[in-house]
Amino acid sequence: MDNHYTFDHTIPIAPLKIAALESCADLAKSVDQHIVHFRRNDTEALLEKNSSLEYRGYDCDSYLLDLKCSRFGTGEAKCRVNESVRGTDIYALVDVTNYSLTYTVCGRKHHMSPDDHFQDLKRLLGACASTAHRLNVIMPFLYESRQHKRSKRESLDCAMGLEELVAMGVSNIVTFDAHDPKVQNAIPLHGFDNFLPPYHFVKALLAHDKTLQLDKEHLMVISPDEGAMNRSVYLANNLGVDMGMFYKRRDYSTVVNGKNPIVAHEFLGASVEGKTLLIIDDMISSGESMLDTARELKNRKAEKVIVCCTFGLFTEGFEKFDEFYEKGYIDYVITTNLNYRKPELFTKPWYIEADLSKYLAAIINTMNHDVSLESILSPTEKIQKLVKNYHA
């Protein structure tokens, strides 16, 4: 068993409970299975070393908490926890983007919005806060993360949401690829961890396509806009390749669907001719800007264009992606399993999934032992090892 998952000198801060709302049920089951596996192997490793097996709370077949969020006919709701949580370390999982769930109001069906999911999260926390030892929130897609700053007279929804959570007693908030992680400044005295999945993108891609050449002459990382620069620079440096960037020229005199329309994409960087290009970003919403970027790169004679995004929301469907795949503008689209995706997506020839359930399980397991996350879960070493093994 990997030593990264074995804790010789620490015991859990409190018994572990994974409180997964329905929006995150499938991901939570996979995470739970990984943690059970970690801890069974952990026990075997400790016995081999003749370490003291003090109480660790490892004697569980599942760490999932039995809970239920139900609604009245008016649409109002409540959360009921069906087992004791006194003295436990709660990890509440929620996917605020899961629009597939519905509820009924006065006989009419409504799809759950991010606001509905956030309210259910607060209901869950309210049911546990009085007796739990510690409350932690795992929110892969950070609620209202795109409304992270104020322009003119606007609400600061993401900051207000974070303040609401810590006011309810939440100690740590874990998210992935936040649109702007500086929003943590709203809660400077509380835990806020933002994890990035570049290792899992590369791992999924190399497992799917064995023909890639990881060197400057054949590979390049592309930032689709200035907001994705940090992600792209990090991955390019780890792979030892060059980076290019697009910036968007917008028409600030008009507003369409709440945003200024893009006039053109301008490219900064070396020639992309004959190279495989990795476009790195945090999310695919409608996909419009991402597809425009892919088309621009193929028009510049790129050999392959591979889109890597943490969250595949596809808010306007897959038709445009199918069209661009058929025309040869995109080769693959890689997203994680951290948010809900339509079953139809898994039938697409251009789609690759990066599975982060084991990574999330390792994060929860490490936090429950109150051990530093930085030294154990930094992806830099893993990326370097992956690239070395691929070359070998």
Side-chain angles (χ1 to χ4, degrees):
M1 185 66 181
D2 194 328
N3 289 334
H4 287 176
Y5 303 121
T6 302
F7 301 100
D8 293 337
H9 307 297
T10 60
I11 61 174
I13 190 173
L16 172 63
K17 283 295 180 183
I18 300 173
L21 291 165
E22 189 180 356
S23 61
C24 227
D26 291 338
L27 176 62
K29 289 176 183 176
S30 182
V31 167
D32 178 55
Q33 290 170 2
H34 282 300
I35 294 178
V36 170
H37 179 67
F38 292 163
R39 295 194 167 187
R40 285 177 179 166
N41 283 277
D42 195 356
T43 301
E44 292 174 8
L46 290 168
L47 288 170
E48 288 175 5
K49 296 177 182 178
N50 295 317
S51 299
S52 174
L53 277 177
E54 300 176 66
Y55 168 70
R56 289 174 174 266
Y58 284 5
D59 56 343
C60 294
D61 294 325
S62 175
Y63 296 95
L64 292 174
L65 183 66
D66 184 9
L67 63 93
K68 177 68 175 178
C69 281
S70 55
R71 290 187 179 266
F72 302 99
T74 58
E76 298 165 293
K78 65 177 179 180
C79 179
R80 180 184 179 91
V81 176
N82 298 317
E83 59 182 284
S84 174
V85 294
R86 186 172 298 278
T88 58
D89 192 20
I90 299 287
Y91 290 82
L93 270 70
V94 60
D95 175 13
V96 298
T97 68
N98 192 338
Y99 59 88
S100 69
L101 302 180
T102 60
Y103 63 95
T104 302
V105 180
C106 299
R108 295 187 177 185
K109 184 179 289 188
H110 295 261
H111 286 266
M112 291 187 70
S113 70
D115 291 341
D116 293 318
H117 289 299
F118 190 68
Q119 288 300 116
D120 276 356
L121 172 63
K122 291 194 292 182
R123 292 180 181 108
L124 168 60
L125 297 174
C128 300
S130 61
T131 56
H133 178 76
R134 187 174 68 171
L135 296 176
N136 310 275
V137 168
I138 311 291
M139 191 185 297
F141 186 94
L142 186 61
Y143 175 68
E144 288 286 1
S145 58
R146 286 191 284 182
Q147 188 53 27
H148 58 90
K149 62 182 180 180
R150 175 177 285 150
S151 299
K152 299 180 181 178
R153 293 179 291 276
E154 290 182 346
S155 56
L156 284 168
D157 296 76
C158 188
M160 290 192 295
L162 294 175
E163 288 185 339
E164 277 189 87
L165 294 179
V166 300
M168 296 187 71
V170 173
S171 299
N172 300 292
I173 297 172
V174 172
T175 191
F176 286 80
D177 213 343
H179 197 65
D180 187 346
K182 291 194 292 291
V183 74
Q184 68 187 286
N185 293 337
I187 50 169
L189 301 181
H190 294 78
F192 183 97
D193 291 294
N194 179 49
F195 293 93
L196 301 175
Y199 164 74
H200 299 86
F201 288 150
V202 177
K203 182 180 179 181
L205 178 59
L206 296 183
H208 185 81
D209 190 342
K210 303 292 186 181
T211 65
L212 297 178
Q213 294 177 271
L214 306 183
D215 55 51
K216 281 188 176 183
E217 288 70 35
H218 300 92
L219 186 67
M220 192 170 177
V221 177
I222 304 294
S223 173
D225 55 39
E226 54 274 27
M229 277 288 291
N230 289 339
R231 304 176 185 91
S232 302
V233 168
Y234 176 80
L235 184 57
N237 287 340
N238 272 283
L239 295 177
V241 300
D242 292 329
M243 195 208 81
M245 187 196 91
F246 280 89
Y247 69 91
K248 300 169 184 174
R249 284 202 291 118
R250 294 181 180 271
D251 181 3
Y252 287 99
S253 64
T254 59
V255 176
V256 178
N257 294 329
K259 57 186 178 182
N260 304 109
I262 298 169
V263 176
H265 291 81
E266 304 292 351
F267 182 68
L268 300 174
S271 171
V272 301
E273 184 174 353
K275 294 181 179 179
T276 296
L277 306 179
L278 303 182
I279 307 176
I280 307 295
D281 209 353
D282 59 336
M283 73 177 78
I284 295 173
S285 184
S286 66
E288 177 184 347
S289 60
M290 190 65 69
L291 291 174
D292 287 344
T293 300
R295 180 169 52 197
E296 289 290 330
L297 292 170
K298 275 298 178 83
N299 289 339
R300 287 174 166 80
K301 300 181 180 179
E303 181 180 349
K304 287 184 179 180
V305 172
I306 300 166
V307 176
C308 302
C309 287
T310 307
F311 303 104
L313 306 180
F314 300 101
T315 57
E316 295 185 9
F318 308 121
E319 291 79 8
K320 199 75 173 177
F321 285 85
D322 290 335
E323 177 188 339
F324 271 56
Y325 175 73
E326 290 169 3
K327 291 181 177 179
Y329 292 135
I330 58 172
D331 292 270
Y332 308 120
V333 175
I334 306 175
T335 72
T336 72
N337 61 334
L338 293 174
N339 66 286
Y340 171 77
R341 291 140 299 147
K342 282 185 177 179
E344 179 188 352
L345 178 61
F346 299 99
T347 67
K348 302 299 181 182
W350 43 262
Y351 180 68
I352 302 173
E353 180 189 87
D355 184 2
L356 268 73
S357 58
K358 185 177 181 180
Y359 186 47
L360 181 53
I363 291 169
I364 293 174
N365 192 38
T366 304
M367 289 180 67
N368 182 235
H369 282 83
D370 219 16
V371 176
S372 170
L373 290 164
E374 182 65 28
S375 60
I376 295 174
L377 297 171
S378 174
T380 302
E381 183 182 343
K382 292 183 177 181
I383 294 174
Q384 298 293 337
K385 184 177 179 181
L386 183 66
V387 172
K388 183 178 179 181
N389 290 341
Y390 183 77
H391 286 311

